[in-house]
Amino acid sequence: KYTKEMNGNSTNKKWAILAASLGLVYVLVRHRYSIIGQMRRRIVLPGASNPLRFKQIEVLTTSQDEATQKIIKELKSHCQRFQVLGFDCEWITVGGSRRPVALLQLSSQYGLCALFRLCCMKQIPKDLRELLEDDAIVKVGVAPQADAMKLSHDYGVGVASTLDLRFLAVMAGHKAEGLGKLSHTHLNFVLDKNWRLACSNWEAKQLEEVQLNYAANDALAAVAIFQKLCRDLEPRAFWDIRPLTSEDWLPKIQPFIDVDFTKGFSIGLSSSNAGGGTAPSSSPMTAKSKPKKVMVPEKQYCRKLGTQSKAFYDNCLLEAPDGELLCTIDRRKASWYLNQNLGTHIPGETFTVRLNFEPAGRAVGEVGRYYQTPKENQCVVCGRRDAYIRKNVVPREYRRHFPEVMKSHTSHDVLLLCHTCHQLSNVSDLRIRTKLATKCDAPFKHGDGMVKCHEDPILRRVKSAGKALTYQSERIPQARKAELHQILLDYYKDCNEITDELLKEAANIDYRVENDDYCQHGEKVVQMYRDQFGGLIELERMWREHFVHTMQPKYLPYLWNVNHNADRLEVRASEGRVDNADLLVAGLPAKANLNSKPNPNPQ
């Protein structure tokens, strides 16, 4: 009996342990993400989760000192293993004017932070200049491009390969915040951002300990945030502590190197219309996604992006009179053929319309099979299916200036992206726009060549004076009224007195003057490629290759091709449906006797 009781108790204990184990497994599986997140925050990796754990601050005041050369050499050796440096600058403002950069902070992932007191150096050391100009080493921070421009202006040194951490934050699905909030969110470390400290005297003979910590922490935190966000892009198990390599993150950040975050996102978002950003107004908008507000120095207006959750591709079938499949079309277009009595509905599982007339052309080769293939309603980059936006791979600001034969039937270059991928794609487009602006001498920013009309300050003063005297004359003091009269008399030198006719003319004067140097960016680029750079096919190919290289889409439609339009024009040329002039504009060789060749399939 005693033995039986002991066996029974042992069995009960086993079942209790098994039940407890199953309960523990259930809790771990159910709350695995929060547990992993907590463990990641608790595990301290050298120079990563706690950027101050192995902090080594070196203050350098002379350019030719052996200590300076030693620290720069050490930074370079660290960069051979991890090609990233935290980058920041400090300066002072006197009488409303900015003084040259006083302090340059560079930090490695191993906790070394070098504080270069440029205000004490006669010139930037040669080795430091080489380090800053090395485009293989990425300098990370928040708004590093602004600091790089200050160094270039003050000391004539170029800072290559800067990366704004906010790009990484957006790519990883986080908020684009300042350095302090990024540090608190991703490192669980609070940076001291007291304005009195930020605006302290960085040119003092001796910097205080609190200043040194403030400056070093910003640069050290930048590297640690970079590592954390890179891991968020490619999540790993919490026990996987393998170090990051450039192969892990370089392809992802390449499109955003040396791109200003604020300008990049304002241009990318505001140009979404040019890129086919929103769904047509007739389509129901069931979800709207508003881009994150970014603090920028100037007021900028960005178009709101509307995401469409209804299926974009209906994949209805369009057939020739003999039943041969021509292409897939949307339901609205199919209904149009029926309403115009141009086709007949063919019953079947898929909505099909058979034309009542012979089409101008048939599906030929891979080009034709592309249009016959059904398309998936998903983001071509990440595969998301719940909401998407149309993206014109070749932006409309260029396509609109193409010849008609290259503007029609361009659905090949209209792809679906989710809101995040669409936003990142538009930002990455900024780099190629800048390249085209330089190559074709076609500025797209609001410089002198981009503004169609500029304001004449003298005419504006005349108009202001005329309107004030016309509509507010009774409220204006006599002294001010005399000044306004003098402004008008100085401009209208032939008049000796102020009359109602003169006031009316002044109030309606146009103070905008046409800019003789104005050129439309897209039109100029198309013109240059048409006349000098190999034809418009090359421009199309460049934009498609750029999209594939930067976004690395995993779900492109079957038979999508960077040379699609060239192949399509070749097919049309073989059928006599394109002129030699259009082939030459596209950059394709002209066909002999093409214009006189009869069209076997007249419209």
Side-chain angles (χ1 to χ4, degrees), residues 370-556:
Y370 173 81
Y371 291 107
Q372 292 175 331
T373 305
K375 309 298 187 297
E376 295 290 334
N377 290 288
Q378 64 180 2
C379 174
V380 299
V381 176
C382 66
R384 181 177 172 182
R385 291 177 175 271
D386 56 338
Y388 31 78
I389 309 169
R390 291 183 295 179
K391 164 74 177 180
N392 275 12
V393 177
V394 181
R396 286 185 182 176
E397 65 176 303
Y398 306 101
R399 179 78 71 183
R400 63 185 295 189
H401 301 292
F402 282 21
E404 187 62 34
V405 70
M406 297 181 69
K407 285 196 296 186
S408 60
H409 304 290
T410 57
S411 61
H412 173 272
D413 287 329
V414 181
L415 300 176
L416 298 185
L417 300 181
C418 66
H419 178 267
T420 301
C421 294
H422 187 275
Q423 193 177 50
L424 293 174
S425 177
N426 281 339
V427 175
S428 68
D429 288 351
L430 176 64
R431 198 172 195 186
I432 198 169
R433 290 175 194 272
T434 304
K435 177 182 176 181
L436 289 172
T438 303
K439 181 178 181 179
C440 301
D441 190 22
F444 67 92
K445 297 180 181 178
H446 289 284
D448 292 338
M450 184 58 182
V451 180
K452 189 173 184 179
C453 298
H454 59 80
E455 297 180 358
D456 187 312
I458 297 177
L459 292 179
R460 184 164 188 172
R461 289 182 64 196
V462 171
K463 184 181 182 70
S464 178
K467 292 179 68 175
L469 292 171
T470 301
Y471 302 110
Q472 304 291 337
S473 179
E474 296 179 356
R475 293 184 171 184
I476 301 176
Q478 288 299 324
R480 177 56 180 164
K481 190 180 296 186
E483 293 176 2
L484 297 178
H485 283 171
Q486 192 59 46
I487 291 174
L488 296 180
L489 292 175
D490 289 343
Y491 181 76
Y492 296 102
K493 297 181 180 180
D494 296 336
C495 300
N496 297 323
E497 60 179 350
I498 304 298
T499 62
D500 292 341
E501 290 76 11
L502 182 66
L503 291 176
K504 184 177 180 180
E505 180 180 346
N508 295 318
I509 196 171
D510 188 0
Y511 57 83
R512 294 176 301 173
V513 180
E514 288 190 8
N515 183 8
D516 295 334
D517 297 329
Y518 170 76
C519 73
Q520 193 170 4
H521 170 76
E523 183 178 8
K524 183 70 175 293
V525 169
V526 170
Q527 178 184 348
M528 295 295 289
Y529 267 83
R530 183 187 63 198
D531 299 338
Q532 299 184 25
F533 299 137
L536 301 183
I537 291 295
E538 292 300 321
L539 181 60
E540 283 187 324
R541 183 184 293 114
M542 180 180 63
W543 274 105
R544 291 173 184 148
E545 289 177 347
H546 164 74
F547 177 79
V548 172
H549 174 70
T550 57
M551 300 306 296
Q552 300 181 4
K554 301 177 182 177
Y555 304 95
L556 281 173

Side-chain angles (χ1 to χ4, degrees), residues 204-471:
K205 290 184 178 181
Q206 187 72 31
L207 293 180
E208 298 178 4
E209 188 70 21
V210 66
Q211 288 179 296
L212 298 179
N213 283 323
Y214 172 91
N217 289 351
D218 280 1
L220 289 165
V223 177
I225 293 169
F226 175 84
Q227 293 176 286
K228 166 61 168 57
L229 293 176
C230 284
R231 285 192 169 90
D232 287 349
L233 288 176
E234 294 290 339
R236 299 177 179 178
F238 69 89
W239 59 81
D240 187 351
I241 59 174
R242 289 176 300 161
L244 288 171
T245 63
S246 58
E247 290 78 10
D248 296 328
W249 48 263
L250 187 57
K252 298 180 178 64
I253 69 170
Q254 193 64 42
F256 311 107
I257 295 293
D258 294 327
V259 176
D260 189 323
F261 178 83
T262 56
K263 292 181 181 178
F265 265 81
S266 69
I267 291 173
L269 293 178
S270 62
S271 66
S272 62
N273 187 33
T278 56
S281 57
S282 59
S283 301
M285 297 290 186
T286 59
K288 287 195 174 182
S289 180
K290 185 177 180 180
K292 297 178 177 66
K293 184 177 180 181
V294 180
M295 299 304 295
V296 293
E298 298 179 2
K299 189 173 182 180
Q300 301 187 24
Y301 298 92
C302 299
R303 183 183 180 92
K304 295 180 181 179
L305 299 179
T307 56
Q308 181 175 343
S309 56
K310 182 183 176 182
F312 179 79
Y313 297 116
D314 297 321
N315 292 317
C316 299
L317 304 181
L318 184 67
E319 296 180 347
D322 58 1
E324 180 184 346
L325 178 61
L326 297 175
C327 61
T328 60
I329 57 176
D330 59 53
R331 184 63 176 264
R332 185 172 57 180
K333 185 70 178 218
S335 299
W336 180 85
Y337 279 112
L338 297 177
N339 294 334
Q340 299 296 320
N341 293 321
L342 298 175
T344 305
H345 176 239
I346 305 299
E349 183 177 351
T350 303
F351 193 89
T352 304
V353 173
R354 183 170 295 170
L355 297 179
N356 296 333
F357 62 93
E358 182 62 28
R362 299 283 184 123
V364 178
E366 287 193 358
V367 174
R369 289 200 298 276
Y370 173 81
Y371 291 107
Q372 292 175 331
T373 305
K375 309 298 187 297
E376 295 290 334
N377 290 288
Q378 64 180 2
C379 174
V380 299
V381 176
C382 66
R384 181 177 172 182
R385 291 177 175 271
D386 56 338
Y388 31 78
I389 309 169
R390 291 183 295 179
K391 164 74 177 180
N392 275 12
V393 177
V394 181
R396 286 185 182 176
E397 65 176 303
Y398 306 101
R399 179 78 71 183
R400 63 185 295 189
H401 301 292
F402 282 21
E404 187 62 34
V405 70
M406 297 181 69
K407 285 196 296 186
S408 60
H409 304 290
T410 57
S411 61
H412 173 272
D413 287 329
V414 181
L415 300 176
L416 298 185
L417 300 181
C418 66
H419 178 267
T420 301
C421 294
H422 187 275
Q423 193 177 50
L424 293 174
S425 177
N426 281 339
V427 175
S428 68
D429 288 351
L430 176 64
R431 198 172 195 186
I432 198 169
R433 290 175 194 272
T434 304
K435 177 182 176 181
L436 289 172
T438 303
K439 181 178 181 179
C440 301
D441 190 22
F444 67 92
K445 297 180 181 178
H446 289 284
D448 292 338
M450 184 58 182
V451 180
K452 189 173 184 179
C453 298
H454 59 80
E455 297 180 358
D456 187 312
I458 297 177
L459 292 179
R460 184 164 188 172
R461 289 182 64 196
V462 171
K463 184 181 182 70
S464 178
K467 292 179 68 175
L469 292 171
T470 301
Y471 302 110

Side-chain angles (χ1 to χ4, degrees), residues 151-256:
L151 285 175
S152 176
H153 179 270
D154 297 341
Y155 298 98
V157 59
V159 182
S161 298
T162 57
L163 174 70
D164 198 314
L165 291 171
R166 291 173 289 184
F167 281 126
L168 272 181
V170 173
M171 292 171 65
H174 304 300
K175 290 183 179 180
E177 301 173 308
L179 188 65
K181 290 188 176 180
L182 287 174
S183 176
H184 184 262
T185 301
H186 301 287
L187 305 180
N188 199 25
F189 181 81
V190 179
L191 291 174
D192 187 356
K193 286 298 180 181
N194 189 302
W195 68 269
R196 291 183 175 85
L197 187 56
C199 300
S200 59
N201 184 9
W202 296 103
E203 294 185 2
K205 290 184 178 181
Q206 187 72 31
L207 293 180
E208 298 178 4
E209 188 70 21
V210 66
Q211 288 179 296
L212 298 179
N213 283 323
Y214 172 91
N217 289 351
D218 280 1
L220 289 165
V223 177
I225 293 169
F226 175 84
Q227 293 176 286
K228 166 61 168 57
L229 293 176
C230 284
R231 285 192 169 90
D232 287 349
L233 288 176
E234 294 290 339
R236 299 177 179 178
F238 69 89
W239 59 81
D240 187 351
I241 59 174
R242 289 176 300 161
L244 288 171
T245 63
S246 58
E247 290 78 10
D248 296 328
W249 48 263
L250 187 57
K252 298 180 178 64
I253 69 170
Q254 193 64 42
F256 311 107

